[in-house]
Amino acid sequence: MKLLFKSCTLALLFVCFGTNLMAQKKQILVDVAHGQKFYSDPANRISTELVPTQRLEYMTGELAKNAATHNAEITFLKASITSEVLSKVDLLFIHVPSIKYSEAECKAIHHFLEKGGSLFIAIEEDFWATLDQINANDLVSPFGIKFFSNNPDQTVGGYSTAGTVTKKKYAIPFHGARLVDGGAPFAFSNRSEPSSFAVFTEIKGGGKIIAMGEAMVSLYMTSWQEVNNYECAPFMEDVIGWLLK
C-alpha cells in the first residue's frame, strides 16, 4: 500500500512538473520608453493620426499571434532598460525609437545579448529619426552590425531569402530604407542588383540579433503603393521563431 501511495505521488508530481514547464511562456519585451514612433501599449489607448487605436491594436495583435505560435507572450516596457528587467526576458523588441539609450541601458543590452538574449531592432530613414538623434549603433556595433545613412535604392518592394532565418522567400515591404551592414543579409530590394536591408548575426554565448533598416514589415503593412501581397505575418513569425530558438 505504501509503495502504491509513493508511486501515485511521484506520478502526480511528474504531471504537475511537466504541466508547469509547458505553462512557462517565453517573454518578448516591446520597448515603448524611447519615443517609439509607432508602437505603444494598447492598454493605454494612445491614438494618434499616424497610428490610430484600431491600427495599433491590429499591429500588436499580429505580433502577439506570432509570439503565441512560439509559446511566447509580449509585454511593454515603459521605463529604463536594466539588467534586472532583461533577466526575465528572452527577446527585446526595439522599433523606430527617437530618443537615445543611456550608457547604462546600452551596457545592460550588451550583457543581455552576451548571456544568450535576442534582439530585434528596426531603424528607419532619417525622416523618422536621424542617427544623431538616436544611438542605435551603440546597441549593435559591438556585435559587428552598423546602421548608416538612407539607402539610395528607391525600388518598390522587397523579399527575404529562404535560409537560416526565414523558411521561404517572402514578399515584404521595401519603400525607402536605411543602410545596415554586418552579419549575414537575408532581405533585399526588388532591384535587378538588389541591396540588403536586413541582417542577422549570432553571438558567442548564444545571443542573436536581427537588424532591419526598413520597419514596415514589423508594422504588418501588407499593402502599400499599389502592392497588395506583402507576407508580413509569415515573415515575422519566422523571424521571431529564429530569435527565440
Side-chain angles (χ1 to χ4, degrees):
M1 187 68 178
K2 286 183 179 179
L3 182 61
L4 179 61
F5 177 76
K6 287 181 179 179
S7 298
C8 290
T9 302
L10 286 171
L12 182 60
L13 286 172
F14 179 79
V15 170
C16 292
F17 181 70
T19 302
N20 185 54
L21 283 178
M22 290 179 64
Q24 291 178 351
K25 292 183 179 292
K26 293 185 176 180
Q27 299 298 313
I28 300 174
L29 185 63
V30 181
D31 174 29
V32 295
H34 293 82
Q36 269 67 22
K37 293 290 187 177
F38 302 97
Y39 274 91
S40 63
D41 185 348
N44 291 342
R45 307 291 294 178
I46 298 172
S47 181
T48 66
E49 184 177 352
L50 183 63
V51 187
T53 299
Q54 186 175 5
R55 177 69 200 175
L56 177 63
E57 290 175 345
Y58 166 75
M59 286 162 26
T60 54
E62 289 299 294
L63 182 60
K65 287 178 189 176
N66 285 157
T69 301
H70 301 288
N71 192 38
E73 60 187 6
I74 64 172
T75 54
F76 297 88
L77 179 67
K78 306 169 191 176
S80 297
I81 296 172
T82 65
S83 291
E84 182 180 0
V85 167
L86 293 178
S87 68
K88 304 176 181 68
V89 172
D90 299 285
L91 167 59
L92 177 61
F93 186 95
I94 294 177
H95 193 280
V96 194
S98 64
I99 296 173
K100 288 186 177 182
Y101 293 81
S102 70
E103 183 178 352
E105 289 178 311
C106 292
K107 287 181 179 179
I109 292 170
H110 296 164
H111 180 74
F112 168 68
L113 291 167
E114 289 162 356
K115 294 297 182 181
S118 292
L119 171 67
F120 175 88
I121 181 168
I123 302 297
E124 264 283 359
E125 291 182 297
D126 285 346
F127 176 82
W128 301 106
T130 69
L131 292 178
D132 289 332
Q133 294 171 315
I134 57 173
N135 57 339
N137 284 327
D138 289 344
L139 304 180
V140 296
S141 60
F143 307 103
I145 293 175
K146 193 169 184 179
F147 291 99
F148 291 93
S149 59
N150 288 353
N151 193 327
D153 186 351
Q154 295 300 307
T155 305
V156 171
Y159 63 92
S160 68
T161 54
T164 301
V165 176
T166 47
K167 298 173 184 175
K168 54 170 282 189
K169 180 179 179 180
Y170 294 114
I172 59 175
F174 179 86
H175 298 267
R178 183 177 291 286
L179 292 167
V180 57
D181 192 26
F186 73 102
F188 304 86
S189 70
N190 284 336
R191 192 174 64 176
S192 56
E193 295 181 5
S195 59
S196 167
F197 61 95
V199 301
F200 71 91
T201 192
E202 296 187 61
I203 300 162
K204 184 179 179 180
K208 297 177 180 179
I209 299 174
I210 285 181
M212 300 195 67
E214 223 284 11
M216 291 176 69
V217 68
S218 42
L219 292 173
Y220 297 90
M221 295 184 69
T222 58
S223 177
W224 191 253
Q225 291 184 337
E226 299 182 358
V227 182
N228 300 304
N229 66 337
Y230 290 138
E231 301 169 284
C232 299
F235 172 87
M236 287 301 295
E237 183 174 313
D238 284 3
V239 162
I240 290 170
W242 181 76
L243 288 167
L244 291 176
K245 191 183 299 180

